[in-house]
Amino acid sequence: MNKCILALDFENAIDAVSFLDNFDEPIYVKVGMELFYGSGLQLINEIKNRGHNIFVDLKLHDIPNTVKGAMRNLAKLGVDMVNVHCAGGISMMKAAIEGLEEGKLNKKRPLCIGVTQLTSISQEIMNEELLIKGNITDTVLHYAINAKKAGLDGVVCSVYESKIIHEVCGNDFLTITPGIRLKGDCKDDQKRVATPELAKEEGGDFIVVGRSITRSKNPNKTYIKIENIMRG
Ligand code: C5P
C-alpha cells in the first residue's frame, strides 16, 4: 500500500476525477468533507474502479451509537481508511471500531485513525476558549494514548510529534502526517511544514500531501518522487 496520500481537495467530483487522469498507476487518495458531501458515493465508486486506495476524511464525532452506525456504513463502501475525533472519548472510538468490524467487506476492516488536535487550534485557543489546560503536545499525546486504548490504528499528527507518539504508543501505532511541502514549495496556510524526507526520518507511516502535488507541473512524477522518498 502506498504511503503518500494525495489530498483530493477539489470543489467538485468532475475536477477531482479529471485530475486523477494524470496518474498511470493506482495511488492513495484522501476524500474530504467537501467532496464527500457533494458527490459521495458515486465519486468513491469511480475512484475505486480506477484501483486507488481511499482515505475518507470525515472526522466523525458524535455519541457512540451514532458513530458505530455511521462507521458500519462507511465500511460497506470498501474504503481503506476513515477517522474520528479523539475528543469524542474512548467509548466513542471503541464504537467506531465495532461499526467498522460489522460493516467490513472481505474481512478487511478499514484503518481507523484518530484526530488529536486540529492544526487550526492554537495553544491559546485550547487553553482559553476550550478550557483544556496544559501544553498542546501533551494533549496530542494523551489523545493518542486514548486512541490506542480504544483499539484505533493510529492518529493524525504533525511530523514533529510522530517520534514521541511512536515511543509512547509503539511503532505499530500509525502516524499520519499532513503539512508536507517539497523543498522550495510555498507554505500556503500551513504553519509547521516539513519535507517528505523529514517525515520519513521522524518515522511517519503515511503522509498527506495536497498542493505540492496538485500544483506541480507533473503531478504523476511528483507523486512517484514523494512515494519513493517514503519507501526509502
Ligand atoms: O495542500 P496541503 O498539502 O496543505 O493539504 C493538506 C491536507 O491535509 C488538506 O486536505 C488538509 O485538510 C489536511 N489536513 C491538514 N492538517 C490536519 C489535518 C488534515 O492539513 N491537521
Side-chain angles (χ1 to χ4, degrees):
M1 193 173 284
N2 285 7
K3 290 175 174 298
C4 174
I5 304 178
L6 167 70
L8 261 190
D9 291 329
F10 292 93
E11 266 180 50
N12 58 62
I14 296 172
D15 292 351
V17 168
S18 71
F19 182 75
L20 288 176
D21 288 340
N22 284 298
F23 299 91
D24 313 326
E25 298 285 328
I27 62 168
Y28 208 136
V29 302
K30 177 173 88 71
V31 173
M33 292 183 197
E34 186 178 4
L35 267 187
F36 191 85
Y37 295 144
S39 34
L41 303 187
Q42 222 179 333
L43 176 66
I44 296 293
N45 284 333
E46 173 66 29
I47 298 174
K48 266 178 55 184
N49 288 340
R50 290 171 178 237
H52 303 300
N53 291 112
I54 309 178
F55 170 19
V56 184
D57 177 17
L58 299 179
K59 302 184 178 71
L60 271 59
H61 189 174
D62 209 314
I63 59 169
N65 190 51
T66 303
V67 167
K68 182 175 174 179
M71 285 301 188
R72 190 186 303 121
N73 279 341
L74 280 178
K76 286 180 189 162
L77 298 179
V79 298
D80 303 279
M81 189 186 285
V82 294
N83 58 1
V84 291
H85 269 286
C86 298
I90 293 176
S91 54
M92 188 206 76
M93 291 190 272
K94 280 186 176 166
I97 297 289
E98 284 166 20
L100 292 171
E101 285 288 351
E102 284 178 15
K104 71 186 176 187
L105 303 176
N106 312 322
K107 298 194 178 143
K108 192 173 152 255
R109 171 175 70 70
L111 293 172
C112 189
I113 304 300
V115 176
T116 51
Q117 281 292 339
L118 297 170
T119 37
S120 52
I121 302 293
S122 63
Q123 175 84 44
E124 195 184 359
I125 296 176
M126 192 185 86
N127 294 153
E128 286 165 29
E129 191 180 311
L130 304 178
L131 280 185
I132 299 173
K133 289 185 196 134
N135 178 289
I136 198 156
T137 309
D138 293 341
T139 309
V140 168
L141 192 56
H142 182 66
Y143 280 11
I145 293 167
N146 283 353
K148 165 106 182 167
K149 279 184 192 160
L152 260 57
D153 302 292
V155 287
V156 181
C157 63
S158 89
V159 165
Y160 304 94
E161 290 149 357
S162 204
K163 211 167 235 170
I164 178 87
I165 288 174
H166 277 140
E167 274 166 25
V168 175
C169 298
N171 280 332
D172 296 347
F173 192 69
L174 304 170
T175 58
I176 287 84
T177 59
I180 304 293
R181 290 292 180 274
L182 289 168
K183 269 183 216 121
D185 279 353
C186 169
K187 276 191 188 181
D188 303 293
D189 49 353
Q190 296 282 15
K191 299 270 185 305
R192 294 198 304 155
V193 299
T195 59
E197 287 87 349
L198 186 64
K200 165 85 182 162
E201 213 176 290
E202 294 293 308
D205 296 290
F206 292 93
I207 55 174
V208 176
V209 188
R211 287 161 285 188
S212 275
I213 296 173
T214 55
R215 284 187 193 157
S216 80
K217 281 196 192 115
N218 186 332
N220 185 42
K221 217 165 140 186
T222 307
Y223 182 90
I224 292 170
K225 177 178 162 186
I226 298 176
E227 181 62 29
N228 285 337
I229 295 169
M230 288 305 288
R231 281 169 189 265

